Amino acid sequence: MPPAGREGVIQDGYPPPVAHELKRTLGVFDAVVVGLGAMVGAGIFTALAPAARAAGGALLAALATAALVAYCNAHSSARLAARYPSSGGTYVYGRERLGPFWGYLAGWAFVVGKTASCAAMALTVGAYLWPGQRHAVAVAAVVALTAAGYGGVQRSARVSRVIVAVVLAVLAGVVVVCLGSGAAGAGRLGGAGRGAVGLLQGAGLLFFAFAGYARITTLGEEVRDPERTIPRAVPLALGIALLVYAAVAVAALSVLGHGGLAASSAPLADAVGAAGWPAAAPVVRVGAAVAALGSLLALVLGVSRTTMAMARDGHFPRALAAVHPRYRVPHRAELAVGAVVAVLAATADLRGAIGFSSFGVLTYYAIANVSAWTLDGGVKDRAVAAVGLSGCVVLACALPPASAVSGAAVLALGALLHALRGRFRSGI
């Protein structure tokens, strides 16, 4: 007889009970699309300008630094996801490899940070489509995409395919217009940097645009043949995103320079305008809104799966661990996440939460790298985990002070709640 394990979690190589298992429908292509939908989203439309302000002429070096840290994190996450193909991502990995507290802390950092990111993405949709009614549009976007996720992850993957195709077409248009114009100049690609601190701060801000590949690992319980699919899908999605980001950054820099990019509130729309195509700016704005929708869809999927995994272990109300009998999705967790995000989108402007979200995500991946270090592997695997851990710590500390302080305070609050819960259960 196989040993009993937690509901929905693979232990000692044995699958969870079928009654609690999500439906495995995603292949490599769909998993890559889900990851791209989260990465090639609003981040590339919004992160370039603040990163240029921080890094100056070292923007491309900052992009390369962020990509290196993202690669290390992706490598560690893929190894862990193949070993533990269950919903929850690093919450599960940290719990199984390091202990319950570290898994909880990773899950807490992910859920809190990414819930704020969900609201920010929803507000981005409203700001681009109808600035005067941004909150109403944001709430409508949350409701629509929560409904899409409720119908099953396969339906969400189909929606992601459309969104990714539209966004990639818009970004390709930006690259062609900018690089093909007479305004482009290779001399604008470099320039004076702002030192190591500026480069690292720029990398930390750009990391926000890479963080979406976690959605592939948090959907591990809905991927077919996860031991093969996830290690293939994660680097594929990350590699495609890096190529797209590099092309877009070079194109925008070639016409605006780092100074013009830093001063812009809509850098890609301004880039096509500076290239002599002002009529294309509305198309870019629509593309940005569609990209934000793609990010929001992937974020809701990831946060709801982590919420479900934490509810299974009693960190959140156990009712949130329910799986829909027909669609095989964590429907209560999705509705709860959607409701919280809708309230935030209706009442707050959370664009300043990007830095806070980056801090939380970097903490999440730091725990993933430590977890991966404990796996059986060669020198290369451990070296990648060590570089990833170091990169996460350095980039988190290099973020703007307000983001780092608020992120650390929220993590401390989560740790306090965990301790109080433990005392309550022990009757102390």
Side-chain angles (χ1 to χ4, degrees), residues 33 36-37 40-41 44-45 129 158-174 244 282-294:
V33 168
L36 284 176
V40 186
I44 192 60
F45 290 92
L129 292 184
R158 288 195 293 267
V159 174
S160 290
R161 289 183 194 178
V162 176
I163 291 174
V164 168
V166 171
V167 174
L168 288 178
V170 171
L171 292 177
V174 170
V244 172
V283 177
V284 175
R285 290 182 178 276
V286 171
V290 172
L293 286 170

Short mmCIF file of all heavy atoms in Angstrom, two decimals, residues 33 36-37 40-41 44-45 129 158-174 244 282-294:
data_model
loop_
_atom_site.label_atom_id
_atom_site.label_comp_id
_atom_site.label_asym_id
_atom_site.label_seq_id
_atom_site.Cartn_x
_atom_site.Cartn_y
_atom_site.Cartn_z
N VAL A 33 2.60 28.93 -23.48
CA VAL A 33 1.72 30.05 -23.74
C VAL A 33 1.26 30.70 -22.44
O VAL A 33 1.21 31.93 -22.32
CB VAL A 33 0.50 29.61 -24.58
CG1 VAL A 33 -0.58 30.68 -24.60
CG2 VAL A 33 0.93 29.30 -26.00
N LEU A 36 4.19 32.71 -21.20
CA LEU A 36 4.36 33.92 -22.01
C LEU A 36 3.26 34.92 -21.74
O LEU A 36 3.50 36.14 -21.73
CB LEU A 36 4.39 33.56 -23.50
CG LEU A 36 5.67 32.93 -24.02
CD1 LEU A 36 5.49 32.56 -25.49
CD2 LEU A 36 6.84 33.90 -23.87
N GLY A 37 2.03 34.43 -21.53
CA GLY A 37 0.94 35.35 -21.24
C GLY A 37 1.19 36.15 -19.98
O GLY A 37 0.77 37.30 -19.87
N VAL A 40 5.17 38.22 -21.15
CA VAL A 40 5.12 39.22 -22.23
C VAL A 40 3.80 39.97 -22.07
O VAL A 40 2.92 39.90 -22.91
CB VAL A 40 5.22 38.55 -23.61
CG1 VAL A 40 5.32 39.62 -24.70
CG2 VAL A 40 6.46 37.67 -23.67
N GLY A 41 3.69 40.63 -20.97
CA GLY A 41 2.48 41.35 -20.65
C GLY A 41 2.77 42.80 -20.36
O GLY A 41 3.62 43.42 -20.99
N ILE A 44 6.55 44.76 -19.95
CA ILE A 44 7.40 45.35 -20.98
C ILE A 44 6.89 46.73 -21.38
O ILE A 44 7.65 47.57 -21.87
CB ILE A 44 7.49 44.42 -22.21
CG1 ILE A 44 8.59 44.86 -23.17
CG2 ILE A 44 6.15 44.33 -22.93
CD1 ILE A 44 9.96 44.89 -22.58
N PHE A 45 5.60 47.00 -21.19
CA PHE A 45 5.05 48.31 -21.52
C PHE A 45 5.29 49.33 -20.41
O PHE A 45 5.23 50.54 -20.65
CB PHE A 45 3.54 48.20 -21.78
CG PHE A 45 3.19 47.48 -23.05
CD1 PHE A 45 2.97 46.12 -23.05
CD2 PHE A 45 3.10 48.16 -24.25
CE1 PHE A 45 2.64 45.44 -24.22
CE2 PHE A 45 2.78 47.50 -25.43
CZ PHE A 45 2.55 46.13 -25.40
N LEU A 129 -7.53 51.85 -21.65
CA LEU A 129 -8.75 51.79 -22.45
C LEU A 129 -9.69 52.97 -22.21
O LEU A 129 -10.32 53.49 -23.13
CB LEU A 129 -9.50 50.48 -22.19
CG LEU A 129 -8.83 49.20 -22.68
CD1 LEU A 129 -9.73 48.00 -22.44
CD2 LEU A 129 -8.49 49.31 -24.17
N ARG A 158 -6.59 28.78 -23.83
CA ARG A 158 -7.03 29.24 -25.15
C ARG A 158 -7.10 30.76 -25.20
O ARG A 158 -6.71 31.39 -26.19
CB ARG A 158 -8.39 28.63 -25.49
CG ARG A 158 -8.33 27.15 -25.82
CD ARG A 158 -9.61 26.67 -26.50
NE ARG A 158 -10.74 26.73 -25.58
CZ ARG A 158 -11.14 25.70 -24.83
NH1 ARG A 158 -10.49 24.55 -24.87
NH2 ARG A 158 -12.20 25.81 -24.05
N VAL A 159 -7.61 31.37 -24.13
CA VAL A 159 -7.64 32.84 -24.05
C VAL A 159 -6.22 33.39 -24.10
O VAL A 159 -5.94 34.38 -24.77
CB VAL A 159 -8.37 33.31 -22.78
CG1 VAL A 159 -8.27 34.81 -22.62
CG2 VAL A 159 -9.84 32.89 -22.83
N SER A 160 -5.31 32.73 -23.38
CA SER A 160 -3.91 33.18 -23.36
C SER A 160 -3.28 33.12 -24.75
O SER A 160 -2.48 33.98 -25.11
CB SER A 160 -3.09 32.33 -22.39
OG SER A 160 -3.45 32.59 -21.05
N ARG A 161 -3.64 32.11 -25.54
CA ARG A 161 -3.11 32.01 -26.90
C ARG A 161 -3.45 33.25 -27.71
O ARG A 161 -2.60 33.82 -28.39
CB ARG A 161 -3.68 30.78 -27.60
CG ARG A 161 -3.18 29.45 -27.10
CD ARG A 161 -3.79 28.34 -27.94
NE ARG A 161 -3.60 27.03 -27.31
CZ ARG A 161 -4.07 25.91 -27.81
NH1 ARG A 161 -4.75 25.92 -28.94
NH2 ARG A 161 -3.87 24.76 -27.20
N VAL A 162 -4.71 33.67 -27.63
CA VAL A 162 -5.15 34.86 -28.38
C VAL A 162 -4.41 36.10 -27.89
O VAL A 162 -3.90 36.91 -28.69
CB VAL A 162 -6.66 35.04 -28.25
CG1 VAL A 162 -7.12 36.33 -28.94
CG2 VAL A 162 -7.40 33.85 -28.85
N ILE A 163 -4.33 36.25 -26.58
CA ILE A 163 -3.68 37.43 -26.01
C ILE A 163 -2.21 37.47 -26.38
O ILE A 163 -1.69 38.52 -26.79
CB ILE A 163 -3.87 37.45 -24.48
CG1 ILE A 163 -5.35 37.72 -24.14
CG2 ILE A 163 -2.97 38.50 -23.83
CD1 ILE A 163 -5.67 37.62 -22.66
N VAL A 164 -1.52 36.35 -26.24
CA VAL A 164 -0.09 36.31 -26.58
C VAL A 164 0.13 36.64 -28.05
O VAL A 164 1.05 37.39 -28.41
CB VAL A 164 0.51 34.93 -26.24
CG1 VAL A 164 1.89 34.77 -26.84
CG2 VAL A 164 0.58 34.75 -24.72
N ALA A 165 -0.73 36.11 -28.93
CA ALA A 165 -0.59 36.40 -30.36
C ALA A 165 -0.74 37.88 -30.64
O ALA A 165 0.03 38.48 -31.41
CB ALA A 165 -1.62 35.59 -31.15
N VAL A 166 -1.74 38.52 -30.04
CA VAL A 166 -1.97 39.96 -30.25
C VAL A 166 -0.79 40.77 -29.73
O VAL A 166 -0.28 41.67 -30.42
CB VAL A 166 -3.28 40.40 -29.56
CG1 VAL A 166 -3.41 41.92 -29.58
CG2 VAL A 166 -4.49 39.77 -30.25
N VAL A 167 -0.34 40.46 -28.51
CA VAL A 167 0.75 41.24 -27.90
C VAL A 167 2.04 41.08 -28.70
O VAL A 167 2.76 42.06 -28.94
CB VAL A 167 0.95 40.82 -26.44
CG1 VAL A 167 2.17 41.52 -25.85
CG2 VAL A 167 -0.29 41.16 -25.62
N LEU A 168 2.36 39.85 -29.11
CA LEU A 168 3.58 39.64 -29.89
C LEU A 168 3.51 40.38 -31.22
O LEU A 168 4.52 40.92 -31.69
CB LEU A 168 3.81 38.15 -30.12
CG LEU A 168 4.25 37.33 -28.90
CD1 LEU A 168 4.41 35.87 -29.27
CD2 LEU A 168 5.55 37.87 -28.30
N ALA A 169 2.32 40.43 -31.83
CA ALA A 169 2.17 41.16 -33.09
C ALA A 169 2.40 42.65 -32.88
O ALA A 169 3.08 43.32 -33.68
CB ALA A 169 0.78 40.92 -33.67
N VAL A 170 1.85 43.20 -31.80
CA VAL A 170 2.05 44.63 -31.50
C VAL A 170 3.52 44.93 -31.23
O VAL A 170 4.09 45.91 -31.75
CB VAL A 170 1.18 45.05 -30.30
CG1 VAL A 170 1.55 46.46 -29.85
CG2 VAL A 170 -0.30 45.00 -30.68
N LEU A 171 4.16 44.09 -30.42
CA LEU A 171 5.57 44.32 -30.11
C LEU A 171 6.45 44.17 -31.35
O LEU A 171 7.42 44.93 -31.52
CB LEU A 171 6.03 43.35 -29.02
CG LEU A 171 5.40 43.56 -27.63
CD1 LEU A 171 5.88 42.49 -26.66
CD2 LEU A 171 5.72 44.95 -27.09
N ALA A 172 6.12 43.22 -32.20
CA ALA A 172 6.86 43.08 -33.47
C ALA A 172 6.71 44.33 -34.31
O ALA A 172 7.67 44.81 -34.94
CB ALA A 172 6.37 41.86 -34.24
N GLY A 173 5.50 44.89 -34.33
CA GLY A 173 5.28 46.14 -35.06
C GLY A 173 6.11 47.28 -34.51
O GLY A 173 6.67 48.08 -35.27
N VAL A 174 6.21 47.37 -33.18
CA VAL A 174 7.04 48.42 -32.56
C VAL A 174 8.49 48.27 -32.99
O VAL A 174 9.16 49.25 -33.35
CB VAL A 174 6.92 48.34 -31.02
CG1 VAL A 174 7.95 49.26 -30.36
CG2 VAL A 174 5.52 48.72 -30.56
N VAL A 244 12.22 38.68 -26.99
CA VAL A 244 11.25 39.75 -27.25
C VAL A 244 11.64 41.01 -26.50
O VAL A 244 11.67 42.12 -27.07
CB VAL A 244 9.84 39.30 -26.84
CG1 VAL A 244 8.85 40.46 -26.91
CG2 VAL A 244 9.35 38.16 -27.74
N PRO A 282 -2.13 54.64 -30.88
CA PRO A 282 -3.34 54.02 -30.31
C PRO A 282 -3.31 52.50 -30.38
O PRO A 282 -3.81 51.81 -29.48
CB PRO A 282 -4.47 54.60 -31.17
CG PRO A 282 -3.94 55.88 -31.70
CD PRO A 282 -2.48 55.63 -31.92
N VAL A 283 -2.72 51.95 -31.45
CA VAL A 283 -2.61 50.50 -31.56
C VAL A 283 -1.73 49.94 -30.45
O VAL A 283 -2.03 48.89 -29.84
CB VAL A 283 -2.05 50.10 -32.94
CG1 VAL A 283 -1.87 48.59 -33.04
CG2 VAL A 283 -2.97 50.60 -34.05
N VAL A 284 -0.64 50.65 -30.15
CA VAL A 284 0.25 50.22 -29.08
C VAL A 284 -0.47 50.28 -27.74
O VAL A 284 -0.32 49.40 -26.88
CB VAL A 284 1.52 51.09 -29.06
CG1 VAL A 284 2.39 50.73 -27.86
CG2 VAL A 284 2.30 50.91 -30.35
N ARG A 285 -1.30 51.32 -27.55
CA ARG A 285 -2.05 51.44 -26.29
C ARG A 285 -3.04 50.28 -26.13
O ARG A 285 -3.19 49.73 -25.04
CB ARG A 285 -2.77 52.77 -26.23
CG ARG A 285 -1.82 53.96 -26.08
CD ARG A 285 -2.56 55.29 -25.97
NE ARG A 285 -1.62 56.39 -25.76
CZ ARG A 285 -1.13 56.75 -24.58
NH1 ARG A 285 -1.51 56.10 -23.48
NH2 ARG A 285 -0.29 57.75 -24.48
N VAL A 286 -3.72 49.92 -27.20
CA VAL A 286 -4.62 48.77 -27.15
C VAL A 286 -3.82 47.50 -26.86
O VAL A 286 -4.24 46.64 -26.06
CB VAL A 286 -5.42 48.62 -28.46
CG1 VAL A 286 -6.18 47.30 -28.49
CG2 VAL A 286 -6.38 49.79 -28.63
N GLY A 287 -2.65 47.38 -27.49
CA GLY A 287 -1.79 46.23 -27.21
C GLY A 287 -1.38 46.16 -25.75
O GLY A 287 -1.32 45.08 -25.16
N ALA A 288 -1.10 47.33 -25.15
CA ALA A 288 -0.74 47.36 -23.73
C ALA A 288 -1.89 46.88 -22.87
O ALA A 288 -1.70 46.15 -21.88
CB ALA A 288 -0.33 48.77 -23.33
N ALA A 289 -3.12 47.30 -23.21
CA ALA A 289 -4.29 46.87 -22.45
C ALA A 289 -4.49 45.37 -22.58
O ALA A 289 -4.79 44.67 -21.59
CB ALA A 289 -5.53 47.61 -22.93
N VAL A 290 -4.34 44.84 -23.79
CA VAL A 290 -4.47 43.39 -24.00
C VAL A 290 -3.38 42.65 -23.22
O VAL A 290 -3.63 41.60 -22.62
CB VAL A 290 -4.41 43.06 -25.50
CG1 VAL A 290 -4.37 41.55 -25.72
CG2 VAL A 290 -5.61 43.65 -26.23
N ALA A 291 -2.18 43.20 -23.23
CA ALA A 291 -1.07 42.58 -22.49
C ALA A 291 -1.38 42.53 -21.00
O ALA A 291 -1.11 41.53 -20.33
CB ALA A 291 0.22 43.36 -22.74
N ALA A 292 -1.94 43.62 -20.47
CA ALA A 292 -2.30 43.65 -19.05
C ALA A 292 -3.37 42.62 -18.74
O ALA A 292 -3.36 41.98 -17.68
CB ALA A 292 -2.78 45.05 -18.66
N LEU A 293 -4.31 42.42 -19.68
CA LEU A 293 -5.33 41.39 -19.50
C LEU A 293 -4.68 40.00 -19.43
O LEU A 293 -5.07 39.16 -18.62
CB LEU A 293 -6.34 41.44 -20.65
CG LEU A 293 -7.35 42.58 -20.63
CD1 LEU A 293 -8.12 42.63 -21.95
CD2 LEU A 293 -8.32 42.41 -19.46
N GLY A 294 -3.70 39.76 -20.31
CA GLY A 294 -3.01 38.48 -20.28
C GLY A 294 -2.29 38.26 -18.97
O GLY A 294 -2.33 37.17 -18.39
#
